Amino acid sequence: MENNKTKSITIVGGGSSGWMTAMYLNHLYRKEKQNIKVRLVESADIGILGVGEATVHSIRFFFAAMGLDEQELLSETQATYKTGIMFRNWMKPQQDKVHEYFHPFEQIKFGNGFDLSTSWLLSQKLSGQRYDEGTCISSELIKHQHGPKTANSKGYTGIVPYGYHIDANQLARFLRKKAVAAGVEHIEATVEKINTNNQNIISIETDNGVFESDYFIDCTGFKGLLINAVSEDNWVSYEDALPCNKAVAVQRKYPAEQQPKPYTEATALSNGWVWQIDLINRQGTGYVYDGNRLSKEEAEAELKSFLGSESEFIKTLHIDMQIGRRKRFWVGNCITVGLSGGFIEPLESTGLHLINLGARLLSTHLTQVSVPDAIQESYSELMINAYEDLKQFIVLHYCITDRDDTEFWQAAQRSVEHCPALKRKLAIWKYKICEYADLQTASTSCFNDENYRFILYGMQYYPELHLDIDKAQMETLFDSVKARCQQAVQYSETHQDSLDKLHN
Ligand code: FAD
């Protein structure tokens, strides 16, 4: 039916969620010659959050699919490469050494007989070697300050999977420039009133005109301006399991002589953890903490003391975070993408991934103006799965800690009580390896069994495996892992060399 065709979509909000969604939908509709207008309304007065600066590796596929040139994107956003996250202090120190482990993006798929993880657990674990160091290439690369690129790597390819550290404000600006050039209508205006009929938005009234549309996408950040206008009782809090609900973000100049690292650092403090993200021109840092246990002033002081008194601070920002998700991501003709839909603390840098997922699912679900309830429910269900999976994965980082030095860490050990499915799995993973089939529900998650094993074994949550081993076979296997690592170091560039190509 011709009159059931969608003619216009209005996105409100010009942060990364707004511009990524606008760009994705516009790209798709133009390519497929669909006559659907994509408009983005953003307030020049309100501004964006502008703190999401690390990504997961799959975001490369979004940028590539949008036809963006990787070099141009990275050079305009002060970006560096990221091959994973170094976690520090998430367990008690051992023999006076700070506990640390690395979570790479790499998927390790080799082994002969037993898989590599099982082989490592059976033969290498007792040597005191870190799991990631024994099994993956990325850990070897960062030891040599190498990034993911070889001298001949083309855009979006590297020797190991990688994401980015990227200036969030400049990313939004870059995406805006590209989206507008590709035909997205951009309106600078502040929404003052939302006119609704039952659960449908008829129009939005702004200081720069009134806009009607078939669909409205809420990308207004934590305030969820549109979705809250068409729904009530539409929030599930995750704060019982994940109590870090505040952050203080501090930008600082580079300590002298320090070069940008090709990984994010996540160091646990007294009541949460600190991120350190190296851009070309500065370091972005922030303390994500439990606001019920620490005041803003205490958190800022603890962060600055951690960073060192010699640091030159550029900017400090205190942020209230709402930790949880919508019960319904789609209500009437309004759909949420980005922070307005939900947020889980940024320990695994998943904000942009969830936006990417939201935009992709939108394109398959937005088939006509008047969709049946089942379609709305399908969209919500898929997004809920993604948030639930992510919640489980983030809780895993906390609940297997042995830290008990503050009440925060004692409570962290009990956080699994709010994740019954994880509790059941942890009981099993004491006796068997964590494998793909254990996580079958993770259809929209970006974390699979490989990722779980890096956290479990990085945190020394090992299964008891009483199996015989063939020593010679194990030696051959781990010699081949070592050889691959050495080869990767030989072929890859130092991170600094790759950055010089981008930024000089
Ligand atoms: P915002 O950036 O808040 O944008 C909201 C937009 O809505 C703005 O353009 C504003 O002008 C507009 N708006 C609001 N009200 C009105 C109105 N009345 N009229 C018109 N326009 C309006 N994600 C990652 O991927 N990696 C990370 O490392 C990471 N770290 C994070 C750290 C912290 C502490 C936090 C809180 C988040 C982090 N995130 C991270 C998440 C990431 O910041 C967000 O996913 C991302 O910024 C998208 O935000 P947004 O576009 O939904 O909202």
Side-chain angles (χ1 to χ4, degrees):
M1 269 181 359
E2 178 66 25
N3 62 2
N4 206 12
K5 276 193 180 161
T6 306
K7 294 181 197 64
S8 67
I9 295 172
T10 297
I11 296 163
V12 180
S16 20
S17 64
W19 285 113
M20 280 173 69
T21 307
M23 184 173 248
Y24 187 85
L25 294 180
N26 185 63
H27 183 82
L28 180 76
Y29 294 148
R30 284 185 184 249
K31 201 163 158 218
E32 298 303 328
K33 301 197 173 32
Q34 300 295 307
N35 194 14
I36 303 178
K37 183 184 187 62
V38 179
R39 170 196 295 135
L40 186 143
V41 177
E42 73 172 315
S43 166
D45 301 330
I46 296 173
I48 68 171
L49 180 64
V51 290
E53 303 207 304
T55 75
V56 291
H57 82 97
S58 55
I59 207 69
R60 274 179 300 147
F61 309 130
F62 174 85
F63 293 142
M66 294 302 99
L68 301 176
D69 177 76
E70 187 184 44
Q71 184 146 3
E72 185 189 2
L73 164 73
L74 300 190
S75 66
E76 289 203 21
T77 54
Q78 308 299 331
T80 67
Y81 296 103
K82 167 181 171 185
T83 52
I85 304 175
M86 182 67 81
F87 289 91
R88 285 205 187 92
N89 226 9
W90 287 76
M91 294 194 68
K92 288 178 181 168
Q94 285 159 349
Q95 282 123 31
D96 287 337
K97 234 180 115 199
V98 170
H99 176 258
E100 63 177 25
Y101 70 98
F102 187 60
H103 176 199
F105 293 125
E106 204 176 319
Q107 302 278 301
I108 39 176
K109 290 281 181 227
F110 66 105
N112 184 9
F114 287 137
D115 60 88
L116 188 61
S117 304
T118 303
S119 303
W120 185 88
L121 289 164
L122 289 173
S123 66
Q124 314 294 106
K125 184 185 88 179
L126 289 177
S127 70
Q129 182 193 47
R130 268 180 14 210
Y131 170 73
D132 61 273
E133 287 183 330
T135 56
C136 82
I137 293 168
S138 306
S139 294
E140 190 67 21
L141 291 180
I142 63 167
K143 248 190 250 165
H144 292 83
Q145 288 93 44
H146 279 218
K149 294 273 185 182
T150 69
N152 302 319
S153 291
K154 299 213 163 51
Y156 300 111
T157 63
I159 205 160
V160 289
Y162 63 92
Y164 309 110
H165 300 132
I166 222 160
D167 182 307
N169 284 301
Q170 291 184 8
L171 176 65
R173 239 172 275 151
F174 180 80
L175 294 178
R176 175 170 67 198
K177 182 173 82 176
K178 294 293 178 184
V180 170
V184 173
E185 183 188 8
H186 179 209
I187 312 277
E188 272 198 356
T190 301
V191 175
E192 293 169 341
K193 190 164 175 241
I194 299 158
N195 297 313
T196 61
N197 180 9
N198 290 325
Q199 291 197 318
N200 276 314
I201 298 178
I202 306 300
S203 63
I204 51 173
E205 292 183 23
T206 77
D207 56 1
N208 191 12
V210 177
F211 300 95
E212 293 180 353
S213 193
D214 293 328
Y215 281 103
F216 289 88
I217 316 296
D218 187 342
C219 294
T220 61
F222 281 128
K223 71 164 70 152
L225 192 67
L226 307 193
I227 193 78
N228 285 335
V230 288
S231 61
E232 285 174 1
D233 182 28
N234 189 6
W235 185 255
V236 175
S237 170
Y238 285 164
E239 281 192 34
D240 48 2
L242 295 168
C244 289
N245 56 1
K246 305 246 184 253
V248 48
V250 169
Q251 296 177 357
R252 68 163 172 167
K253 291 196 173 158
Y254 268 116
E257 312 288 314
Q258 188 179 308
Q259 293 188 329
K261 294 185 223 53
Y263 55 89
T264 302
E265 290 163 282
T267 308
L269 295 188
S270 71
N271 285 278
W273 59 276
V274 168
W275 78 77
Q276 284 171 276
I277 293 176
D278 290 357
L279 301 182
I280 276 293
N281 54 337
R282 62 167 170 81
Q283 188 180 59
T285 74
Y287 186 9
V288 174
Y289 63 95
D290 181 343
N292 293 314
R293 297 183 194 274
L294 213 58
S295 70
K296 284 182 173 180
E297 295 72 25
E298 286 168 330
E300 186 175 329
E302 191 179 347
L303 171 62
K304 289 188 170 168
S305 140
F306 167 78
L307 295 172
S309 52
E310 70 289 358
S311 296
E312 265 189 77
F313 301 118
I314 305 167
K315 194 169 140 189
T316 302
L317 176 71
H318 287 272
I319 302 159
D320 291 334
M321 306 186 295
Q322 286 160 36
I323 306 297
R325 61 158 172 86
R326 295 287 163 186
K327 289 180 184 166
R328 287 165 295 150
F329 285 74
W330 182 327
V331 177
N333 63 348
C334 173
I335 301 121
T336 62
V337 179
L339 296 174
S340 62
F343 182 60
I344 291 178
E345 60 172 79
L347 188 55
E348 287 283 355
S349 325
T350 39
L352 299 191
H353 162 77
L354 289 167
I355 295 167
N356 182 10
L357 177 68
R360 274 192 291 128
L361 290 175
L362 205 51
S363 72
T364 52
H365 282 69
L366 268 182
T367 52
Q368 49 194 297
V369 171
S370 167
V371 294
D373 288 353
I375 284 289
Q376 302 187 8
E377 283 158 17
S378 162
Y379 182 85
S380 289
E381 209 173 290
L382 291 167
M383 290 308 294
I384 288 169
N385 285 348
Y387 277 84
E388 290 285 313
D389 281 338
L390 180 57
K391 172 190 169 190
Q392 170 174 288
F393 188 55
I394 300 298
V395 169
L396 177 70
H397 294 64
Y398 285 99
C399 70
I400 53 179
T401 184
D402 63 352
R403 276 190 66 166
D404 54 6
D405 48 306
T406 62
E407 283 180 12
F408 173 85
W409 287 102
Q410 290 160 16
Q413 291 186 9
R414 296 189 298 272
S415 57
V416 73
E417 298 302 330
H418 304 286
C419 257
L422 179 61
K423 192 175 174 185
R424 280 194 300 277
K425 287 180 193 118
L426 282 171
I428 296 165
W429 292 335
K430 263 195 175 312
Y431 299 97
K432 75 176 255 312
I433 191 151
C434 157
E435 62 187 315
Y436 184 75
D438 296 335
L439 297 159
Q440 270 169 343
T441 54
S443 58
T444 49
S445 170
C446 65
F447 301 113
N448 61 23
D449 56 314
E450 299 271 6
N451 305 96
Y452 273 74
R453 286 199 294 274
F454 280 116
I455 309 306
L456 285 164
Y457 308 150
M459 297 281 285
Q460 294 164 8
Y461 193 92
Y462 303 126
E464 277 180 38
L465 304 175
H466 297 278
L467 296 163
D468 290 331
I469 57 168
D470 178 332
K471 269 197 176 165
Q473 199 174 316
M474 292 289 172
E475 255 168 46
T476 313
L477 175 64
F478 285 99
D479 283 349
S480 75
V481 175
K482 240 183 242 159
R484 278 201 199 194
C485 288
Q486 281 162 3
Q487 227 175 21
V489 172
Q490 201 183 333
Y491 286 120
S492 57
E493 292 182 323
T494 66
H495 189 220
Q496 194 56 47
D497 280 350
S498 301
L499 296 179
D500 287 345
K501 283 188 193 163
L502 288 177
H503 297 283
N504 286 334

